[in-house]
Amino acid sequence: MLPGGGKVAVSDIVLKDHSDRGTPFWVKMALRLMGIPACNLWSVDQYRNKLAPMGYENDVTVQLVGEQVFKGWSFLPTRLLKHLDYALIVATKPAINIEPPKKKRVAIIGSGLAGLSSAHYLLTSKDAADFDVDIYEANDRPGLAGNTELIGEQLVDVPARMACLGYYDQYMNLLEELDIPTTVVRTDSSFYGSDGRSGHVCHGYGQNSFVNVYNAIFIGGLGKLWQMASALSKLNDDIDGHEEQITFGEWMQRNLGVSSEAQTSECKTNGVDKQPTQDLPSLTCHSNPFAYIMCGSLAWMLSCTWSDLWNYPADIVLPYCRGLKMDRLGVGREGQVVRVLPSIKALERALLYGVRKLHLGSRVAAMDGTKVVNGVKYDAVIVATEAKAVSKIVRNCSEVFDKFKYHPSTIYLHTDPTFMPPNKRDWKCWNVEMSSGRKEPQLTFWLNEFYPDSNFDGHVFQTWAPTHAPVEETIITRSDFERVVHSKETRSYITKIGREQGNDGIYYAGSYCVYGMGLLEQALVSGKEASDRVLNDLLAPPKDVTSLETDVAPLKAMIIGAGPSGLVAAKYLLESKNPTYDVTIVESSDSIGGSFMNKVYDNCRLVSSKYLTAFSDDRMSEDTEICPDHPSTTQYVDYLKSYAERFGLRQHIHFGSTVVSVKDAESRNDVTDNKLGDDSNGYEVQYNNHKNQIITGDYDVVAVCSGLHNIEYVPKSFLPSSSDKKNTNIATKFKGQIIHSSQYKNPSIFAEKRVLILGCGETAMDIAHRAVSNPRCKSVALSVRRGFLSIPHNLAKDRPLDVFITNLFEHAYEHPWVHAYRLRWVLSTVFIRLFLFLTGSSLGFNQWAVQTGPVKRGYHIINKSHAAMGHLNVPVKRKSLWGRFWMWVYQEGGLRPIESFHKTEVTEVEDDGVTVIFGDGRKYAADLIVLATGYKQSFPFLDDKIRKEFREESVRARDEHNSCGGDMGKYSIEEEHLPKEHFIISKTRPHLGFIGFVRPNVGAIPPMSELQVMWWLEKMRGNVKTLDLKPGTPPSYMVLGRKYPYGVDYGNYMHRVAEDIDAAPTLSTLAKSSRPLQALYTYCIGQSMVSLFRLQGPYESKICWRVATGELWRVCMKRGFAENCGLLYMTWLSFLMNAIACTLECLWCILTLKKPKFFVRY
């Protein structure tokens, strides 16, 4: 790392025998016992040999000074010292005459904080020597402190520059880095004005928290104080709960009852009728004085009108309120407001250090992609102006910059006291005038208090948005400025600007570029982000000329299906930077949503909760009035559509198109040895578009996201062409109607019919309930071959079933011995059976019919559609006194019964054509048979060669599954094979991914699809640490039941996949978060939500941190105190089991002289 001519010096104890050969063996042993490692360089010769390959062969000098150094070293034996010496070794690196590299030239247009911080971060980076930075400013003074005025001996910032410690994180870090001093600013305030009804009012806010509480009670009463305190105490929850869907006005109305609709009140002053008051101050000063103060503070800080404030996104305003510590009345260090000493000029000077040239009075206009600024060619240009100025500076720039709204305002520096409250005793450091009839508040700083050490001659004031101009002779200076005003569209604008960054070497910075209040903090962050992009783009390693074209061109990706799995796959592929992808999505229907759009029926709802089903960084509303815990399929499809819009996916979808074939690209056909696992030549895909045209193209990667529910499964005996010898051809002999459940849409089909439903899934239960609830339906029966485990998707209000699962010591930090013997599942089984017993049956939640046998954790895919269970129970419960008791408990006496045919199947049809006969001899007369027999996965478009490879991998091999306790027998549905690695890819075909085909026991497929996509992308990048299992060993996440070859334990699967890409959060990572208690509890005692797997690793997300410590923490709390205690107790027992396993392993390792492994991957 030394430059040519640089020197490095080393001092060390060495052996006197430079060759190291004549030194007695015991000398080295003695030195090792003193802590000197065996790898130490023992002699001068060894140092020379080590330095020679580094280029120091002829430039090493050695000075031996042992006699001087060892004098007085009585702590070492003389016999040892006579073999030692002390060497000073100096190595000089030869000078190499290399021409210094040409510096990159960067122009920054604008010298506000965004522009100056961009320059600062470029010039203080480790690559600062590679850059020359010029700044262009249209005015004759730099923009950050351009309006600072000297009054007496005090520099006064215009506008007053302040920072709240709880909000300005990056800004305060910069001041600390530059060693710029700050001082605390007084924040005592007066909020006053005429309310249009009772004349003048004034509310005070001081430095003393106890006085503030007293005033709050006196002003608004305990009721309003409690209402305000309750609203502000939920700031963290509202922020972390993604309140971007609502405006600040909607939040105020929801939490404080302040409506944006005007209240009309007739007023008379001096006998003259006034117009009805219709503005915010008149609505709040009496009805809610706390809202009056809060809105006044926010409106002047944003320099906007009341209307603009009301329409601001809540997720912009609320974090600022939290930063001000409004929930604590501003008490605490984080609520303090500080300013730079002596003024913002000190920061401006520090940020200008190192700038090559500051061009003042240099206006830039009509710049294009050549990056020529005022006749000088640059490698990169950062435009750090307001958004509305960009179109004047950059030719043919995006129209998005002109869509930002700005509000003009004026600031006077003056000595006119009429801008202060009428009563001087009400004068405070900050004085906010909020008279009725005004569109915005007026703020006046009493600078004598703002700068307490100043020596002003008389009172000096700074007024923002004045109601009128001060008296002429009192004006010191006037400044005009504009502030950006945000709305619900801001987020989409900023996303579009992000896509513009770096195009033609032009970058953009400014407070408008960052989602926030548009203050100094956002300007600074934008400058940092712009400089980071410039550093990354200009200093990227040069590309190999021979591969330049292939490196630049994005890879082509084909996604089959526009359901949840297809959409999340497209989102991650489009966001990929290395490599980039050109994405095509083929969807056979005419809308987004897949099966949730095309194969649903009346009032259909998800059986997985919204907390589990939503994607990691785009959550569903927590408000159950907007979105219930289990949304309807219509609501979920709307969510998917908004997801597609938010991430720009719709433009990539080809609707009404069906994939015809997927086969190896022609260049791959010559590859005969497929053992290397290289399908990098890609695939040839043919699809039939909406115009019935065959489109053929080559794609580098293909994601199959066609979904589980694409091909209806019909038992052979119900096929018209059945040649099944065991069963008579039922479809031919039955005179009634036979439909598959996918054809069912509404219950009118059951009118005047006897209905027989075949199947035991959630769809079968839903249809059975709709049939029995139709009063015109004659009778209903359910035929079930095996039985099932029924537990409702909602155990109680606000208690979804799928959140009652924990991670710690079950999916994470579980000792392999504990897992090998399924001890955690055995423990869970005990608790589950006890819980179910309390519901009336230990074989299911109030389940007396169609039971599957003893409940065992890890053996069942739970049926969460429970509405029909009571009707199925009636015929069974009526047979015993105990059953009748539970009928009374659940008030099932008035329910219509559903007859059940359990552990049997239809074998034939009598000659009357309506009476079906079951294998056990029972009969049932039916007019309608509904085949709720599910679906089978089929990939008819895959080439036979690919199918054969998957079949040879034996993913569905029954022997492997049965080896861990499964029973893949006659009840399995024959369907096409999936690849072996997590059922995502084959080792021979890493570029052909299958997303969303696993079946969770208690979980949801969409979040699993998201994690699968993350894993797949990392696999193609070569960043996956796959765990090699012994041959014949099934993955640990396999469900041990016998029905599904791809049934998995949801939490176990998520953790094993996440561990491969280092995305499974560790306890140390969680403990370092800003809210460690919430993070640790949510993960340890909560479900494996997909957001938790973006807290670390390649896809770490700040949004997911907020979700984990906000929304998911609240989900855990909503489970109830008793339920959480039960889960904690079970986790404690699991801890004891793992502790015992670790102890036993230690004892075993002591006996066998092996190193313990403890919580290794399995």
Side-chain angles (χ1 to χ4, degrees):
M1 295 175 64
L2 285 176
K7 293 186 178 183
V8 60
V10 179
S11 64
D12 195 7
I13 296 176
V14 296
L15 302 175
K16 279 190 175 180
D17 186 348
H18 293 178
S19 65
D20 188 23
R21 293 174 183 172
T23 304
F25 175 75
W26 65 265
V27 173
K28 286 188 180 180
M29 287 295 296
L31 293 174
R32 289 178 187 176
L33 290 173
M34 293 167 59
I36 298 176
C39 60
N40 186 61
L41 298 178
W42 297 97
S43 67
V44 172
D45 287 351
Q46 287 184 358
Y47 267 104
R48 290 185 185 275
N49 294 335
K50 192 77 172 179
L51 290 168
M54 302 179 187
Y56 299 95
E57 185 174 5
N58 301 316
D59 297 279
V60 178
T61 60
V62 179
Q63 185 178 0
L64 299 174
V65 292
E67 292 183 4
Q68 295 89 336
V69 172
F70 293 154
K71 286 181 179 179
W73 281 33
S74 57
F75 57 88
L76 287 179
T78 305
R79 190 178 177 188
L80 176 63
L81 285 175
K82 73 177 184 178
H83 293 283
L84 304 179
D85 209 335
Y86 199 90
L88 298 177
I89 304 167
V90 180
T92 305
K93 190 167 184 178
I96 302 175
N97 295 323
I98 299 177
E99 184 178 348
K102 183 179 179 182
K103 289 189 176 184
K104 304 290 185 182
R105 304 194 68 180
V106 179
I108 298 176
I109 303 173
S111 60
L113 185 55
L116 294 182
S117 62
S118 298
H120 169 75
Y121 288 118
L122 284 172
L123 296 173
T124 56
S125 69
K126 64 183 180 64
D127 301 300
D130 297 329
F131 287 95
D132 275 335
V133 177
D134 293 347
I135 297 180
Y136 291 83
E137 170 58 50
N139 298 311
D140 56 0
R141 298 168 70 180
L144 180 58
N147 295 318
T148 299
E149 291 290 332
L150 182 64
I151 304 179
E153 297 179 357
Q154 177 64 52
L155 281 170
V156 176
D157 293 327
V158 182
R161 305 286 194 172
M162 302 156 290
C164 175
L165 297 181
Y167 184 76
Y168 288 76
D169 295 334
Q170 295 297 324
Y171 182 73
M172 297 309 300
N173 288 340
L174 178 66
L175 296 180
E176 183 177 352
E177 172 194 336
L178 297 174
D179 199 22
I180 294 177
T182 61
T183 186
V184 177
V185 175
R186 294 182 61 89
T187 55
D188 49 322
S189 311
S190 279
F191 296 84
Y192 68 100
S194 172
D195 68 344
R197 286 184 285 177
S198 59
H200 180 81
V201 295
C202 183
H203 300 315
Y205 177 85
Q207 297 283 106
N208 189 299
S209 59
F210 297 103
V211 174
N212 290 337
V213 171
Y214 174 81
N215 289 340
I217 297 173
F218 179 77
I219 294 169
L222 283 172
K224 293 297 182 182
L225 177 62
W226 177 257
Q227 182 188 36
M228 189 70 173
S230 298
L232 293 178
S233 68
K234 297 189 299 180
L235 277 179
N236 285 334
D237 295 342
D238 290 339
I239 294 167
D240 297 332
H242 296 274
E243 293 288 347
E244 69 268 16
Q245 297 91 346
I246 65 171
T247 63
F248 176 67
E250 291 167 337
W251 183 87
M252 290 286 289
Q253 184 173 0
R254 179 185 302 176
N255 291 278
L256 298 177
V258 178
S259 174
S260 58
E261 297 177 0
Q263 295 176 347
T264 303
S265 58
E266 297 292 341
C267 306
K268 284 191 177 183
T269 303
N270 297 330
V272 180
D273 290 335
K274 281 191 172 184
Q275 294 295 323
T277 59
Q278 296 185 344
D279 54 20
L280 186 61
S282 66
L283 298 179
T284 58
C285 66
H286 288 286
S287 64
N288 197 324
F290 309 109
Y292 179 77
I293 293 174
M294 182 178 184
C295 292
S297 301
L298 293 170
W300 74 254
M301 178 55 68
L302 292 166
S303 301
C304 67
T305 65
W306 303 120
S307 175
D308 290 335
L309 172 63
W310 219 248
N311 291 317
Y312 247 82
D315 67 333
I316 286 181
V317 178
L318 296 184
Y320 183 74
C321 295
R322 178 171 65 180
L324 289 177
K325 296 301 172 187
M326 286 189 176
D327 54 334
R328 304 179 193 170
L329 295 176
V331 178
R333 182 180 182 278
E334 291 183 343
Q336 289 181 346
V337 177
V338 301
R339 64 176 179 86
V340 172
L341 286 176
S343 78
I344 201 71
K345 198 78 175 174
L347 176 60
E348 181 181 271
R349 288 171 180 166
L351 294 178
L352 282 171
Y353 180 80
V355 173
R356 194 179 76 93
K357 190 171 183 180
L358 174 62
H359 302 263
L360 295 176
S362 297
R363 189 175 297 276
V364 180
M367 180 189 65
D368 57 21
T370 61
K371 301 183 288 296
V372 176
V373 179
N374 293 358
V376 180
K377 179 75 167 67
Y378 289 91
D379 297 289
V381 176
I382 299 176
V383 180
T385 64
E386 298 293 357
K388 62 176 186 163
V390 172
S391 59
K392 300 174 183 177
I393 296 171
V394 181
R395 187 183 301 164
N396 300 324
C397 67
S398 171
E399 296 178 355
V400 69
F401 296 99
D402 293 327
K403 293 183 178 180
F404 286 91
K405 177 182 176 182
Y406 280 83
H407 179 66
S409 189
T410 300
I411 295 179
Y412 282 105
L413 201 59
H414 63 93
T415 59
D416 188 345
T418 62
F419 286 84
M420 297 291 282
N423 296 321
K424 191 169 182 179
R425 67 173 181 271
D426 295 329
W427 286 22
K428 298 287 193 300
C429 184
W430 311 24
N431 303 272
V432 185
E433 198 271 346
M434 301 169 62
S435 292
S436 177
R438 293 203 63 212
K439 294 182 178 179
E440 60 183 313
Q442 167 190 283
L443 168 69
T444 298
F445 287 102
W446 187 10
L447 296 184
N448 303 70
E449 293 291 314
F450 194 84
Y451 298 101
D453 297 328
S454 62
N455 56 350
F456 298 137
D457 294 333
H459 298 298
V460 182
F461 312 101
Q462 184 179 132
T463 300
W464 299 13
T467 56
H468 57 279
V471 177
E472 184 67 28
E473 56 268 21
T474 66
I475 298 176
I476 300 173
T477 184
R478 167 180 170 159
S479 302
D480 296 305
F481 69 102
E482 292 183 304
R483 174 72 63 80
V484 67
V485 177
H486 292 306
S487 63
K488 280 188 173 182
E489 290 74 32
T490 295
R491 191 181 289 275
S492 63
Y493 295 163
I494 293 175
T495 301
K496 292 177 181 177
I497 290 174
R499 299 191 187 113
E500 295 292 318
Q501 296 281 13
N503 290 348
D504 296 326
I506 301 175
Y507 305 81
Y508 303 93
S511 60
Y512 68 91
C513 290
V514 176
Y515 197 69
M517 291 278 284
L519 304 173
L520 292 175
E521 179 75 359
Q522 285 70 45
L524 179 61
V525 171
S526 73
K528 178 71 165 61
E529 291 177 350
S531 64
D532 287 345
R533 286 176 180 266
V534 171
L535 287 166
N536 183 65
D537 292 349
L538 292 190
L539 298 180
K543 297 185 177 181
D544 184 358
V545 176
T546 60
S547 61
L548 185 60
E549 182 177 352
T550 57
D551 285 346
V552 172
L555 300 180
K556 295 184 67 177
M558 164 62 72
I559 297 177
I560 304 172
S565 299
L567 294 177
V568 75
K571 183 250 190 185
Y572 276 88
L573 284 166
L574 288 169
E575 289 181 348
S576 174
K577 300 299 182 184
N578 182 29
T580 58
Y581 290 93
D582 179 12
V583 176
T584 300
I585 309 173
V586 172
E587 168 58 42
S588 60
S589 68
D590 58 358
S591 179
I592 286 172
S595 298
F596 294 97
M597 183 71 183
N598 307 314
K599 296 181 179 178
V600 294
Y601 38 86
D602 60 303
N603 300 319
C604 187
R605 290 194 173 275
L606 305 187
V607 291
S608 57
S609 69
K610 62 184 179 183
Y611 311 110
L612 189 70
T613 310
F615 295 123
S616 63
D617 53 1
D618 189 29
R619 310 294 293 173
M620 300 187 203
S621 173
E622 282 191 78
D623 190 338
T624 53
E625 294 183 2
I626 298 174
C627 181
D629 286 343
H630 293 84
S632 68
T633 51
T634 301
Q635 290 172 310
Y636 185 62
V637 169
D638 290 341
Y639 164 76
L640 293 178
K641 290 179 178 177
S642 69
Y643 183 82
E645 290 294 336
R646 176 179 177 183
F647 295 106
L649 309 180
R650 182 178 287 273
Q651 63 196 28
H652 298 273
I653 304 176
H654 297 260
F655 292 106
S657 302
T658 305
V659 175
V660 177
S661 70
V662 176
K663 60 183 180 181
D664 292 323
E666 290 185 5
S667 57
R668 182 184 157 86
N669 287 338
D670 297 333
V671 179
T672 57
D673 184 5
N674 199 31
K675 295 180 181 179
L676 297 177
D678 180 14
D679 62 346
S680 56
N681 288 328
Y683 295 89
E684 179 187 288
V685 180
Q686 285 189 345
Y687 65 91
N688 195 346
N689 69 8
H690 67 287
K691 297 180 180 179
N692 204 27
Q693 300 170 329
I694 297 295
I695 308 297
T696 303
D698 288 341
Y699 295 87
D700 298 284
V701 299
V702 175
V704 180
C705 309
S706 50
L708 287 170
H709 304 138
N710 54 1
I711 303 294
E712 294 87 354
Y713 173 72
V714 178
K716 292 181 179 179
S717 58
F718 285 88
L719 293 172
S721 59
S722 174
S723 58
D724 188 6
K725 297 179 181 179
K726 179 180 176 182
N727 296 311
T728 306
N729 194 319
I730 298 171
T732 302
K733 295 185 64 176
F734 186 69
K735 295 181 180 179
Q737 185 180 5
I738 300 177
I739 65 170
H740 190 270
S741 58
S742 61
Q743 298 170 268
Y744 167 74
K745 298 303 176 186
N746 59 71
S748 61
I749 193 174
F750 304 129
E752 309 302 331
K753 291 179 181 175
R754 295 163 293 183
V755 180
L756 173 63
I757 301 165
L758 273 61
C760 63
E762 286 151 349
T763 301
M765 292 288 280
D766 279 352
I767 294 176
H769 182 255
R770 283 158 175 73
V772 78
S773 299
N774 186 342
R776 298 181 61 194
C777 179
K778 293 181 178 179
S779 64
V780 182
L782 184 71
S783 174
V784 178
R785 292 190 299 181
R786 299 194 306 125
F788 57 86
L789 172 60
S790 176
I791 301 178
H793 60 265
N794 246 6
L795 296 178
K797 184 179 180 182
D798 295 330
R799 287 168 171 79
L801 169 66
D802 53 27
V803 304
F804 283 86
I805 298 176
T806 61
N807 289 317
L808 188 61
F809 305 129
E810 179 167 6
H811 307 129
Y813 296 96
E814 183 184 25
H815 195 280
W817 294 1
V818 174
H819 175 78
Y821 293 97
R822 314 289 184 189
L823 297 182
R824 182 61 166 81
W825 286 4
V826 171
L827 177 66
S828 299
T829 297
V830 174
F831 277 83
I832 292 170
R833 288 184 182 180
L834 175 61
F835 165 71
L836 293 177
F837 176 76
L838 297 176
T839 71
S841 169
S842 62
L843 300 179
F845 189 99
N846 185 30
Q847 182 179 359
W848 290 60
V850 290
Q851 298 159 330
T852 188
V855 174
K856 296 173 68 177
R857 173 79 164 86
Y859 280 78
H860 310 283
I861 303 289
I862 296 176
N863 188 322
K864 298 186 286 293
S865 178
H866 195 73
M869 199 67 246
H871 299 271
L872 285 164
N873 288 336
V874 169
V876 182
K877 289 182 176 180
R878 284 176 177 172
K879 296 178 182 179
S880 66
L881 185 61
W882 182 243
R884 290 179 179 274
F885 166 75
W886 283 102
M887 282 183 67
W888 172 78
V889 170
Y890 285 101
Q891 299 181 351
E892 295 171 339
L895 297 181
R896 292 179 63 188
I898 296 178
E899 189 174 355
S900 59
F901 296 88
H902 187 202
K903 295 185 178 179
T904 186
E905 56 185 326
V906 177
T907 56
E908 57 181 306
V909 180
E910 289 191 345
D911 293 338
D912 62 1
V914 295
T915 303
V916 298
I917 304 175
F918 292 88
D920 60 2
R922 289 189 293 168
K923 301 178 181 180
Y924 182 78
D927 305 301
L928 172 65
I929 296 178
V930 180
L931 302 177
T933 47
Y935 299 81
K936 60 181 180 180
Q937 62 197 27
S938 177
F939 313 115
F941 45 81
L942 284 183
D943 185 63
D944 289 340
K945 178 183 176 183
I946 301 175
R947 295 187 190 183
K948 181 181 178 181
E949 290 177 12
F950 290 167
R951 192 159 50 245
E952 290 175 353
E953 265 191 344
S954 301
V955 175
R956 296 181 64 241
R958 291 186 175 91
D959 291 342
E960 184 173 299
H961 184 78
N962 294 343
S963 67
C964 62
D967 179 19
M968 293 303 302
K970 62 181 181 179
Y971 298 121
S972 299
I973 295 175
E974 292 295 331
E975 53 189 349
E976 293 199 31
H977 298 262
L978 287 176
K980 188 171 185 178
E981 292 196 46
H982 297 315
F983 309 128
I984 303 173
I985 64 164
S986 163
K987 287 185 177 180
T988 61
R989 296 182 177 277
H991 296 88
L992 177 61
F994 289 76
I995 308 299
F997 290 96
V998 289
R999 295 166 170 85
N1001 54 354
V1002 182
I1005 292 176
M1008 301 178 82
S1009 298
E1010 181 173 0
L1011 190 57
Q1012 286 179 323
V1013 174
M1014 291 190 274
W1015 183 93
W1016 183 42
L1017 285 173
E1018 292 305 298
K1019 181 70 174 181
M1020 290 190 288
R1021 294 175 183 139
N1023 298 332
V1024 167
K1025 298 176 291 186
T1026 306
L1027 179 66
D1028 293 327
L1029 298 173
K1030 295 180 181 179
T1033 304
S1036 62
Y1037 45 69
M1038 295 301 298
V1039 169
L1040 304 181
R1042 51 187 173 170
K1043 182 175 182 180
Y1044 295 112
Y1046 307 119
V1048 301
D1049 181 80
Y1050 172 80
N1052 200 314
Y1053 182 88
M1054 296 289 278
H1055 275 81
R1056 303 296 81 80
V1057 173
E1059 284 172 353
D1060 283 357
I1061 59 174
D1062 195 30
T1066 62
L1067 297 183
S1068 59
T1069 298
L1070 298 167
K1072 294 175 184 176
S1073 69
S1074 59
R1075 303 174 73 184
L1077 172 63
Q1078 288 86 342
L1080 285 166
Y1081 192 89
T1082 298
Y1083 173 72
C1084 296
I1085 316 297
Q1087 172 66 289
S1088 300
M1089 309 290 188
V1090 68
S1091 300
L1092 298 175
F1093 302 104
R1094 294 189 62 190
L1095 304 184
Q1096 69 176 58
Y1099 299 95
E1100 182 179 350
S1101 165
K1102 291 182 179 179
I1103 293 176
C1104 293
W1105 271 108
R1106 294 201 300 269
V1107 172
T1109 57
E1111 175 191 337
L1112 301 186
W1113 159 258
R1114 290 188 292 275
V1115 170
C1116 291
M1117 293 300 100
K1118 286 200 299 184
R1119 292 184 303 207
F1121 178 77
E1123 291 88 340
N1124 276 299
C1125 287
L1127 293 173
L1128 284 168
Y1129 181 65
M1130 191 159 59
T1131 301
W1132 168 250
L1133 294 178
S1134 300
F1135 164 74
L1136 293 179
M1137 286 193 302
N1138 282 273
I1140 293 171
C1142 290
T1143 303
L1144 293 175
E1145 184 182 5
C1146 285
L1147 295 175
W1148 175 253
C1149 290
I1150 291 173
L1151 294 174
T1152 59
L1153 300 179
K1154 294 181 179 179
K1155 184 179 180 180
K1157 297 180 179 179
F1158 298 131
F1159 300 108
V1160 296
R1161 296 175 61 190
Y1162 54 80

